[in-house]
Amino acid sequence: MDAIDQRIISCLVSDARSSYAEIGKSVGLSAPAVKRRVDKLLDTGVLRGFTAVVDPEALGWGTEAFVEVHCRGNITPGEIRSRLDPLPEVVAAYTVSGAADAIVHLRASDIHHLETVLERLRAVDIIDRTISTVVLSTLLDRPPAPEH
């Protein structure tokens, strides 16, 4: 990946609906050359797709929390994932260093719904305990910058 690829990615991150011609003007390439590079970025997994960015609050999922998950015994990441996958309110989960086995990002419609989700999460057989932090406001939410 070179500097032109990074500029193409920056254009797509800013507006994934940009045409190859528009991106080409920005990076100094023809539309077919941009298409070839985008195809290569997709083939190599640098770009994983194009998607609509939706406001979760507009869909009724305005309450969110991050939850430290502490498991019983030695549990593999795959096993943790398989137990979390059936919970639709789990929007992301990460293995982490430190005392917790995982950090889970939950979204719910309101605080009552969040409480219900936390009860369901705590009832998962591999989970020993959880520590929850409810998000009050989002200070920063942005995609990673391709250029650094």
Side-chain angles (χ1 to χ4, degrees):
M1 189 167 74
D2 62 14
I4 293 174
D5 288 335
Q6 290 182 345
R7 290 174 53 211
I8 290 170
I9 292 167
S10 290
C11 290
L12 290 170
V13 167
S14 295
D15 183 2
R17 294 175 49 166
S18 297
S19 70
Y20 294 136
E22 291 168 333
I23 296 169
K25 284 180 187 174
S26 176
V27 301
L29 293 175
S30 68
V34 171
K35 182 188 183 318
R36 283 191 299 274
R37 284 178 175 256
V38 168
D39 288 345
K40 184 178 176 187
L41 291 167
L42 286 164
D43 290 343
T44 59
V46 173
L47 290 175
R48 296 189 298 182
F50 305 91
T51 187
V53 179
V54 179
D55 178 4
E57 285 191 51
L59 297 177
W61 294 86
T63 302
E64 64 184 316
F66 289 90
V67 183
E68 288 184 24
V69 173
H70 299 261
C71 296
R72 295 181 175 91
N74 274 342
I75 305 296
T76 66
E79 195 167 348
I80 295 170
R81 184 187 193 286
S82 71
R83 294 304 204 317
L84 297 174
D85 195 45
L87 301 171
E89 297 87 354
V90 174
V91 295
Y94 311 92
T95 55
V96 294
S97 63
D101 294 292
I103 299 287
V104 175
H105 183 191
L106 298 176
R107 282 213 173 261
S109 58
D110 55 32
I111 203 72
H112 176 71
H113 182 198
L114 180 62
E115 183 178 21
T116 302
V117 173
L118 289 169
E119 289 169 2
R120 290 193 347 252
L121 181 64
R122 288 184 195 115
V124 173
D125 63 341
I126 63 168
I127 295 178
D128 183 42
R129 65 187 176 95
T130 62
I131 300 172
S132 305
T133 303
V134 175
V135 174
L136 298 177
S137 64
T138 300
L139 301 176
L140 188 62
D141 182 15
R142 63 179 170 205
E147 299 177 55
H148 38 287

